[in-house]
Amino acid sequence: MELIAQERDRLLRSTTRVIGIVCALISVIGIVSSPAVPVLPLVGALVCIAVMIGGFVVFGTNGAVWCTALVLAAGLGALALLFLGVDPASRHVIASAVVPLAGGSVAAPLMAQRGKPFGLALTIVAGLLTLVAVTWASGSPVSTSTSGVALSWVLIAVVAFWISRSIPRVARRIYSIGTAHRAERQASETEAQRRQGARLLHDTVLATLTLLAHSGVGVSEQAMREQAAEDARLLRHLRLGATPQPSQSGDYSLTREEESPLGQTLESVKQRFGRMGLEVSWHGTGQVLLPSHVLDAFLLALGECLENVRRHAGVGEAHVTIVHDNEMVRAMVTDSGVGFQLDAISAERLGFKESVVNRLREVGGDAKLFSAPGSGTTVVLEAPR
């Protein structure tokens, strides 16, 4: 929404600049065409209008209050020179010629004063002075010139109010449409993954279980063992967040490598939890090679920590910082959730101890837990290289 507010203010400044410059140029044509203006007041008024146009050019870029003051002062100066420098009998003619200047150029800064009380006050005061000056020059408060200036100010105020209110409303509508689209896309992706997973299990694990249920009739014991090993490998990769694709129906190829790049597997963990509603932000760079069994333990422990964040922290975001040296890879999993008292956890709850700590210790690593109520939780995982 902050970006929308910036774009709204930019649009108002640009509109102010266009209206101010166009109305000033129209007034210049009317003033120059009028024979009632002497040379000196005419030159002075044209200089003021030139200063006003320059102020509008700068105002369209930054909208500073001093630009507003410069534009208003130059506009009022031009009106004063024109009204005081002509014959009293010709003031009503000049009043008609400067309606675009008084009702357009001087009023234009009113559009871009949202959140600027000093600039708004200056603009309102300038508007009152302009209306009084035009009324005095035209000789009547109900003249065409006075009515035109008043109507222009009201119209500019209404347009500024309408733009200011409409843009945030449109932005909220666009955001709601985007949210609905993301929810629909996530639901479609989840359904597609569910169907793919069902086909995957049907073609592999369930087929093996069916053979076991029928005592492996027609299949050798060695083939059964190999098939079960393939299924176990498949389930391990799925648990780590991989999404294997079949090369043909019932044929899935997964290769076990002695060493795996850590950077390629962290993204799969992030995507898996992203699909479940937990946004994982990674910090740290580099490519790390870990032995296969260490990598599996490290990623499974990391996934268990993120699962605990998703279930218990009460927040939708977790941060994972990866660092490494020649001997150890470390991951710090941090959330800003509800936290808990460490000594208040029952010793019978062995999930963290078994799934994280002991899993890493079996491969030569370790894990440390830090938390306090209301202060979030931090887990430091260590795995040897």
Side-chain angles (χ1 to χ4, degrees):
M1 294 301 293
E2 181 180 356
L3 179 60
I4 296 298
Q6 293 175 357
E7 289 299 316
R8 176 200 61 205
D9 295 341
R10 185 189 62 79
L11 175 62
L12 291 173
R13 292 197 305 268
S14 299
T15 306
T16 297
R17 177 174 56 190
V18 172
I19 292 177
I21 294 176
V22 170
C23 290
L25 294 177
I26 293 175
S27 291
V28 167
I29 295 175
I31 294 167
V32 172
S33 302
S34 175
V37 185
V39 176
L40 288 179
L42 176 61
V43 173
L46 292 179
V47 171
C48 289
I49 293 175
V51 172
M52 173 182 273
I53 292 175
F56 275 122
V57 172
V58 179
F59 183 86
T61 303
N62 55 28
V65 176
W66 69 266
C67 290
T68 301
L70 178 64
V71 167
L72 296 176
L76 292 175
L79 293 177
L81 289 172
L82 292 171
F83 289 156
L84 298 176
V86 300
D87 186 82
S90 302
R91 285 175 182 160
H92 67 283
V93 177
I94 300 301
S96 300
V98 298
V99 167
L101 178 67
S105 296
V106 179
L110 182 63
M111 300 188 67
Q113 301 305 318
R114 181 184 178 91
K116 301 175 182 177
F118 183 69
L120 180 61
L122 286 178
T123 308
I124 293 175
V125 171
L128 294 176
L129 293 176
T130 300
L131 192 61
V132 170
V134 174
T135 302
W136 173 73
S138 62
S140 172
V142 294
S143 66
T144 303
S145 301
T146 304
S147 301
V149 172
L151 181 61
S152 299
W153 276 83
V154 171
L155 181 60
I156 286 178
V158 170
V159 170
F161 179 78
W162 178 77
I163 292 177
S164 298
R165 295 296 299 272
S166 298
I167 291 180
R169 187 162 55 246
V170 171
R172 287 192 296 269
R173 187 169 300 177
I174 292 174
Y175 179 78
S176 63
I177 293 174
T179 301
H181 172 70
R182 287 192 296 271
E184 182 180 358
R185 183 179 63 184
Q186 184 174 1
S188 299
E189 291 176 352
T190 301
E191 175 62 18
Q193 291 163 3
R194 187 193 65 80
R195 296 177 62 183
Q196 177 183 342
R199 290 193 296 266
L200 179 65
L201 293 177
H202 176 271
D203 293 348
T204 56
V205 178
L206 291 180
T208 303
L209 293 177
T210 301
L211 285 174
L212 290 174
H214 291 81
S215 302
V217 176
V219 180
S220 67
E221 181 179 348
Q222 181 61 28
M224 287 290 295
R225 291 180 182 275
E226 293 177 356
Q227 181 62 37
E230 289 292 330
D231 292 345
R233 187 180 299 115
L234 170 64
L235 292 176
R236 190 190 75 249
H237 279 262
L238 291 177
R239 180 66 180 86
L240 294 176
T243 53
Q245 299 291 335
S247 57
Q248 62 183 20
S249 179
D251 183 10
Y252 294 87
S253 177
L254 296 172
T255 303
R256 180 183 183 90
E257 297 178 348
E258 289 302 318
E259 290 188 330
S260 301
L262 179 60
Q264 295 178 1
T265 49
L266 291 177
E267 185 63 25
S268 64
V269 177
K270 176 181 178 180
Q271 292 176 0
R272 176 162 65 94
F273 282 95
R275 293 191 294 267
M276 294 188 291
L278 179 66
E279 181 180 350
V280 181
S281 299
W282 300 105
H283 307 278
T285 58
Q287 192 80 351
V288 183
L289 292 177
L290 291 175
S292 180
H293 68 288
V294 176
L295 178 64
D296 287 353
F298 186 76
L299 292 177
L300 288 170
L302 176 61
E304 186 66 24
C305 293
L306 294 174
E307 181 67 16
N308 288 336
V309 174
R310 188 183 71 84
R311 290 184 179 180
H312 308 300
V315 294
E317 183 180 13
H319 294 268
V320 178
T321 302
I322 305 292
V323 296
H324 63 91
D325 52 31
N326 294 331
E327 298 179 355
M328 197 74 66
V329 176
R330 295 177 178 85
M332 184 170 65
V333 184
T334 306
D335 68 76
S336 57
V338 296
F340 58 92
Q341 192 69 34
L342 295 178
D343 54 11
I345 301 300
S346 173
E348 297 178 357
R349 299 185 60 179
L350 303 177
F352 178 79
K353 181 178 180 181
E354 292 296 332
S355 298
V356 179
V357 179
N358 289 345
R359 172 175 278 141
L360 289 174
R361 287 178 177 174
E362 288 177 357
V363 296
D366 202 354
K368 298 179 179 64
L369 175 64
F370 307 91
S371 185
S375 300
T377 302
T378 298
V379 182
V380 179
L381 308 178
E382 296 181 344
R385 297 189 62 177

